Amino acid sequence: MQTSKITRIAVIALVLLFLILSVISCSTHTHTATQTTTGKKIPPGQAKKASGSKSAKQYAPGQQKKR
């Protein structure tokens, strides 16, 4: 009788250990939107949205003064 009680406790402990390790090993990955470094420019409207401006005119290539 004593061995079955010890065996039952050991099985419960192993199941709990397995569950705890399963929960701990879970991980989540978050991806953030970053501008690509391949030289692609974002459209003027998207740049306007990112900066919070009211006009996209300053982001359009034809609307900028040459220096």
Side-chain angles (χ1 to χ4, degrees):
M1 184 95 180
Q2 188 68 11
T3 356
S4 65
K5 187 176 183 181
I6 292 174
T7 306
R8 182 182 300 168
I9 292 172
V11 168
I12 291 172
L14 286 174
V15 168
L16 287 176
L17 181 65
F18 175 76
L19 289 174
I20 290 170
L21 288 175
S22 296
V23 170
I24 290 174
S25 67
C26 292
S27 65
T28 58
H29 299 281
T30 55
H31 298 282
T32 56
T34 57
Q35 188 174 2
T36 59
T37 58
T38 58
K40 285 186 174 180
K41 292 195 173 195
I42 59 174
Q46 296 297 321
K48 175 188 79 84
K49 283 183 189 177
S51 67
S53 312
K54 292 191 179 214
S55 172
K57 189 174 186 180
Q58 59 188 348
Y59 301 103
Q63 301 295 326
Q64 295 174 354
K65 288 187 175 182
K66 305 262 185 200
R67 292 185 187 211

